Amino acid sequence: MSDIILKIENISKQYRLGTVGTGTISHDLNRWWHKMRGKEDPFLKIGDTNDRSTEGTSEYVWALKDINFEVKRGEVLGIIGKNGAGKSTLLKILSKVTGPTTGSIKSRGRIASLLEVGTGFHPEMTGRENIFLNGAILGMTKKEINSKLEEIIDFSGCQRYIDTPVKRYSSGMKVRLAFAVAAHLEPDILVIDEVLAVGDAEFQKKAIGKMQDISKGDGRTVLFVSHNMAAVKKLCTRCIVLENGCVSFEGGVNNAVEKYLSLGVKNSYDFLESKDRMGRGEVKFKGIRVVDLEQNKEIALDSLFSGKDYVFEFDIINYCNKIKNIKIGFSVSTTDEILLTAGGSEYMVKDFVLKPKSTRLIKLKFLRFPLSQGKYRLNLSCKSEDGLEDFIKNNIVFDVEYLPITKENIFLYPKEIVQVEHEWYE
């Protein structure tokens, strides 16, 4: 228990959409009357979940609902989720920018936060003056700031412009300076929200290194929010995934990232009704089947093995009256959306002819499936002479496992992914 530096218990945050407060005198009086009698706020019993993509039935919404977790000293906790999931709201509550509707926060030590680019900066003041201003806001004394001033300026990389008004800084320079101040505050808990989304590659590397030093070298705690999954994997020791204002997963970093990247993704053979696609729509992919050539039978997408031979079968529907020559393409990427390989019928100077208003089966063969163990995304495209007809991106997820190792199949295991051996045929 002595290692627990931050404890979140039943934190919830409710907002009324469109206005501040309850919005009416009757609601305010009702809330006041319940409070005077020591009873629960009546408006805590109503409200929709925090799903920005749907039209609600209530004018109240739970930005956060019943959040519980603990953070140990020296831990780097990643907080990930889609836009609008409640990440920034949670950090604002932890930083005491706003208060929770219900629940409690127990912390030990000083909390410093970096929530938005240039928060606490005065545009008319110079960078040097803003270091003192921002440091004071974060709780540093003038003596502390003076002792670390040169170190802060050097880390920010803004030496040339340090005596120039901040209003002339780029957004990247502002975040460099703001991060430099927060990182040198030496807080017990450092709260960071999407800082790396603004900085360049060199700054991101430096910032990640600094946060690693803070957590590992100094034994301080970092709460890190980012959509950069590579940074999350490199920096964090544990993650929680927020979905519609609730914690949907808490645990290891790799599993959390997989959970986050799979939010809203369908793992289905039939994606005819999928909305996650682009193109003219005159020709569409209807579905996908995978056949194991060795066993000559259809298998599930989550039961592929490295080194085996497979055929991916696609049903393609032509909604047009005229015959079209189409080209089919594919690409495979990691769940982090890093492209691994791609191929297509046009590379083989091959077109497929579709009959008017008909469905046709197209097959794609992979020999000695070269992907290592892991989770991947398959992207599909279909082009005609009129342009892009259908493009399905990141909607088809499949798993690859290793076969039990034997003397016969040991050579099948891929060391590096360079190019997929494939063949299109009818």
Side-chain angles (χ1 to χ4, degrees), residues 312-375:
F312 285 61
E313 298 182 346
F314 307 102
D315 291 319
I316 297 180
I317 302 177
N318 181 15
Y319 294 97
C320 270
N321 286 319
K322 64 177 182 177
I323 297 175
K324 289 194 172 186
N325 294 323
I326 60 168
K327 295 178 174 64
I328 311 296
F330 79 92
S331 66
V332 178
S333 61
T334 65
T335 51
D336 296 341
E337 298 187 29
I338 298 173
L339 180 64
L340 299 178
T341 188
S345 60
E346 61 182 322
Y347 302 147
M348 304 169 61
V349 197
K350 181 176 180 61
D351 290 353
F352 295 101
V353 179
L354 298 182
K355 294 181 180 179
K357 294 189 175 180
S358 63
T359 301
R360 180 165 185 179
L361 179 65
I362 304 289
K363 299 178 182 180
L364 171 61
K365 181 189 293 184
F366 290 101
L367 299 176
R368 294 183 181 177
F369 206 60
L371 296 178
S372 301
Q373 185 176 26
K375 188 180 289 289

Side-chain angles (χ1 to χ4, degrees), residues 110 132 135-136 138-147 185:
R110 184 164 59 176
F132 284 91
L138 293 175
M140 295 175 75
T141 64
K142 187 175 181 180
K143 185 177 180 180
E144 278 184 285
I145 300 170
N146 270 320
S147 66
L185 172 61

